[in-house]
Amino acid sequence: MNRNIKDTIVEGITGVSVLLIIFIIVSILAVTIVGGWPNLNWAFLSEFPKDGMTKGGIFPAIVGTAVMTIIMAVAAVPFGVITAIYLAEYANEKSIIARTIRFAVKTLAVVPSIIFGLFGLGFFIGFIGKNMDGLLNGGELRWGQPNILWASFTMALLTLPVVIVSVEEAIRTIPREMREASLALGATKWQTIRKVVLPGSVSGILTGTILAVSRGAGEVAPILFTGAAYFLSDLPHSLSDQFMSLGYHIYIMSTQSSNVDATLPIQFATTLVLLLLTFSLNAIAVILRYRIRKKAK
Amino acid sequence: MNDIKVKVKDLSLRYGTNLALKNISMDIPEKKVTAFIGPSGCGKSTFLRTLNRMNDLIDNVTIDGEVYIDDINIYDKNIDVVNLRKKVGMIFQKSNPFAKSVYDNIAFGPRINGISQKSVLDEIVEHSLKQAAIWDEVKDRLFNSALSLSGGQQQRICIARSLAVNPEIILMDEPASALDPISTAKIEELIHELKLEYTIIIVTHNMQQAARTSDLTALFYMGDLVEMNRTEVIFSNPAKKQTEDYISGRFG
């Protein structure tokens, strides 16, 4: 075959693939915006569902998602930052411990999210929660059932790799000269990390946090068994309460509702809210990361 | 001659199996400027970094021999490296101020030593900046980022920063190699003033700089100490042919 024809074919295939991807993204956005935008208004964002969830708003799902991601971030970020500090500053790259941690982080990142849900159910609810009830409540059921705390912790496990990778990357961009300057002044290693390395990694820690929050806000599977509720007439008041979440709300609207057609506008609008939320969080993360890379050069 | 501040005995250093310093022994006098010269890769910077144990940070480095500072072997097992580095300050080739204000850069060392009283810190900052001959240039912008200053000013900020922890010895690793001639002249002038109070050891590529600033000069070549003597002797009447060849530019 003529070399020119081969080139043309390859160029054609790559071009079509790109167009296909763009087409998919644009279709998702177009369908969501067209279906969701007319239903998006203040009442929708600030009211509880009404009439068997065929009318009204998604206020409790927004609050539930927000609270769950906050608790998740509070649990995942410090844990992730500490792990990243260990990997970047203390671990010998070739040591078995460092390699095991890296392997664990990579594995954690590819575990299907439903597995995290099952793990949360077994570990947090079945093991920790049950034992807490036994010790604190004389066996009365309070922590040994799905709630917002266990759901947040389960989600924290899912998002931990995101935090670790972002923070480690940021820590590694701190030039060696900065560490040497600090050590040469008689700073200990920990003082150097605390006063030079971590302040310089703030935007990386922020990026990791935002990526984790945006991932956690959209996931459904991990909270399916661990705390998300079908419908609640009230907001959660304590960590042992269940909660409503945006992603789960879309799922039940489209599969469990008595009148799926009636909920269609709500589904579209909820999807639009969730997409706007995760897109804007990701956009912030991208901008922050771009800034870090620019600073590193 | 003067008192000996640093006494090095049979110091060898390996990167993995590669022998980078071979049995170096030398005496470095107190409150003088000692210059290390030699071609790139001769070991002069590596040797400098053994004097505050900066090589400890690099994996795979093994060091044999002894380095006595004030008659204490700094490679002894029970030596506190942190205290050693407070006593032996270091200025790097590439100026490396922290991304903090001028004030916070200078106060960094005192603060990690637990000084938090503002009046004390103010005094240390002013005194250190004056010692480093940069006070007049930065006194009105102490709270601006140190990174907004010129390269030469940044290097003097780094010198002030290291003076703020009261070192006795200052190691300088090609401190002016990235600077223009005017900034270089200022650094050299500063070295002259600082040697009244501090023992200064400077690594330099620039032989004129060694001749201008130092009292003693040591020539390194391929990990060996070729010759060390008073600077005027090294530059006018060296004992070894290799030294003469190097300073007259025949190799290196």
Side-chain angles (χ1 to χ4, degrees):
Chain A
M1 210 181 344
N2 188 315
R3 199 178 286 166
N4 281 339
I5 297 176
K6 266 193 198 165
D7 266 355
T8 314
I9 292 174
V10 170
E11 204 182 325
I13 293 173
T14 52
V16 168
S17 311
V18 171
L19 285 178
L20 193 66
I21 289 171
I22 294 174
F23 172 76
I24 294 169
I25 293 172
V26 170
S27 318
I28 293 176
L29 284 178
V31 170
T32 315
I33 291 170
V34 168
W37 188 254
N39 307 302
L40 201 59
N41 52 44
W42 179 242
F44 182 73
L45 298 175
S46 62
E47 282 177 8
F48 274 68
K50 285 187 294 207
D51 297 343
M53 295 212 286
T54 54
K55 290 219 168 62
I58 53 167
F59 182 61
I62 293 174
V63 172
T65 300
V67 174
M68 187 271 290
T69 48
I70 289 167
I71 301 172
M72 176 204 78
V74 168
V77 172
F79 197 17
V81 170
I82 290 167
T83 312
I85 290 174
Y86 177 78
L87 285 175
E89 297 286 332
Y90 288 98
N92 178 346
E93 277 307 304
K94 285 161 202 146
S95 74
I96 294 180
I97 304 176
R99 280 197 281 184
T100 311
I101 296 174
R102 262 178 224 294
F103 177 76
V105 171
K106 277 183 197 151
T107 311
L108 214 55
V110 297
V111 168
S113 51
I114 190 76
I115 309 290
F116 281 98
L118 290 171
F119 174 81
L121 179 66
F123 181 72
F124 290 124
I125 298 171
F127 179 68
I128 294 189
K130 278 259 161 60
N131 283 311
M132 276 171 71
D133 284 339
L135 289 169
L136 305 173
N137 297 337
E140 195 189 320
L141 194 63
R142 180 170 180 209
W143 295 103
Q145 57 187 344
N147 64 37
I148 194 164
L149 182 69
W150 301 142
S152 305
F153 279 9
T154 307
M155 201 65 98
L157 291 179
L158 177 96
T159 54
L160 203 50
V162 180
V163 180
I164 294 172
V165 170
S166 308
V167 177
E168 194 190 343
E169 187 186 350
I171 289 178
R172 288 191 187 278
T173 60
I174 307 288
R176 200 182 58 152
E177 292 89 46
M178 291 297 137
R179 293 162 217 262
E180 286 190 336
S182 169
L183 294 166
L185 289 167
T188 62
K189 189 160 186 174
W190 172 235
Q191 284 171 327
T192 302
I193 292 172
R194 205 158 41 98
K195 306 219 165 186
V196 177
V197 175
L198 286 183
S201 312
V202 165
S203 37
I205 295 169
L206 229 56
T207 313
T209 309
I210 293 168
L211 284 177
V213 166
S214 99
R215 173 100 200 266
E219 276 285 350
V220 176
I223 57 173
L224 213 52
F225 318 120
T226 53
Y230 181 89
F231 173 74
L232 296 169
S233 57
D234 204 356
L235 297 175
H237 292 294
S238 109
L239 290 175
S240 62
D241 286 345
Q242 285 191 289
F243 66 106
M244 290 176 70
S245 119
L246 288 169
Y248 188 57
H249 198 62
I250 297 169
Y251 167 72
I252 53 166
M253 286 285 179
S254 55
T255 59
Q256 316 290 304
S257 172
S258 50
N259 187 352
V260 172
D261 287 341
T263 65
L264 221 48
I266 298 178
Q267 287 178 43
F268 273 120
T270 312
T271 310
L272 187 59
V273 170
L274 187 53
L275 272 181
L276 286 175
L277 186 72
T278 49
F279 275 11
S280 44
L281 285 170
N282 269 299
I284 296 171
V286 167
I287 292 166
L288 279 173
R289 185 165 280 191
Y290 170 76
R291 281 200 181 163
I292 299 174
R293 297 224 166 113
K294 218 169 80 176
K295 211 175 71 185
K297 281 171 198 164
Chain B
M1 205 151 164
N2 293 65
D3 293 336
I4 299 304
K5 185 74 179 172
V6 183
K7 190 174 187 66
V8 181
K9 265 177 149 177
D10 295 327
L11 186 98
S12 294
L13 180 146
R14 285 182 185 76
Y15 290 115
T17 54
N18 177 19
L19 193 58
L21 291 173
K22 304 167 189 166
N23 275 321
I24 310 285
S25 294
M26 71 163 67
D27 292 344
I28 295 170
E30 188 172 24
K31 293 185 186 170
K32 295 276 173 193
V33 178
T34 304
F36 296 165
I37 57 171
S40 300
C42 67
K44 57 192 190 300
S45 285
T46 304
F47 181 66
L48 188 77
R49 293 165 66 95
T50 61
L51 304 180
N52 66 343
R53 292 187 54 176
M54 227 39 186
N55 290 314
D56 289 16
L57 306 172
I58 302 166
D59 291 337
N60 264 327
V61 166
T62 42
I63 297 165
D64 295 310
E66 289 140 34
V67 175
Y68 294 92
I69 294 180
D70 294 333
D71 297 322
I72 296 163
N73 181 9
I74 63 167
Y75 282 94
D76 227 31
K77 273 206 184 81
N78 47 22
I79 283 291
D80 181 358
V81 183
V82 166
N83 282 332
L84 167 71
R85 292 191 186 132
K86 282 174 189 158
K87 190 165 161 175
V88 185
M90 187 164 205
I91 310 301
F92 297 83
Q93 179 173 5
K94 203 176 136 201
S95 63
N96 54 359
F98 301 123
K100 300 174 191 282
S101 69
V102 171
Y103 187 98
D104 287 340
N105 262 279
I106 311 301
F108 184 91
R111 278 182 180 142
I112 57 174
N113 287 324
I115 299 172
S116 57
Q117 210 186 317
K118 194 175 170 300
S119 59
V120 179
L121 285 174
D122 286 352
E123 206 170 298
I124 294 174
V125 169
E126 181 172 344
H127 181 68
S128 307
L129 288 169
K130 279 180 175 162
Q131 271 187 302
I134 193 171
W135 171 253
D136 290 333
E137 289 162 62
V138 299
K139 65 180 180 214
D140 298 322
R141 37 180 174 162
L142 287 177
F143 298 97
N144 291 10
S145 169
L147 300 177
S148 66
L149 302 173
S150 75
Q153 289 173 324
Q154 287 189 14
Q155 193 60 300
R156 279 179 287 148
I157 291 292
C158 293
I159 293 173
R161 181 176 65 184
S162 97
L163 296 177
V165 288
N166 270 325
E168 294 170 23
I169 302 170
I170 302 172
L171 310 176
M172 297 186 170
D173 191 354
E174 302 189 34
S177 68
L179 302 180
D180 61 78
I182 293 167
S183 304
T184 303
K186 281 186 181 161
I187 301 272
E188 289 181 9
E189 209 174 292
L190 183 56
I191 291 171
H192 269 293
E193 281 159 31
L194 292 175
K195 77 171 181 180
L196 299 172
E197 285 178 67
Y198 305 93
T199 303
I200 295 174
I201 307 171
I202 177 171
V203 162
T204 177
H205 255 336
N206 178 333
M207 274 179 289
Q208 285 74 37
Q209 185 170 64
R212 282 193 301 262
T213 58
S214 69
D215 302 296
L216 284 95
T217 298
L219 172 69
F220 285 80
Y221 183 67
M222 305 263 290
D224 283 310
L225 172 60
V226 177
E227 183 174 356
M228 179 174 181
N229 210 327
R230 285 187 296 127
T231 299
E232 61 266 27
V233 176
I234 291 280
F235 281 92
S236 60
N237 192 16
K240 296 202 176 155
K241 173 121 193 346
Q242 211 177 359
T243 311
E244 199 184 331
D245 286 350
Y246 183 72
I247 57 163
S248 58
R250 248 166 272 163
F251 80 91

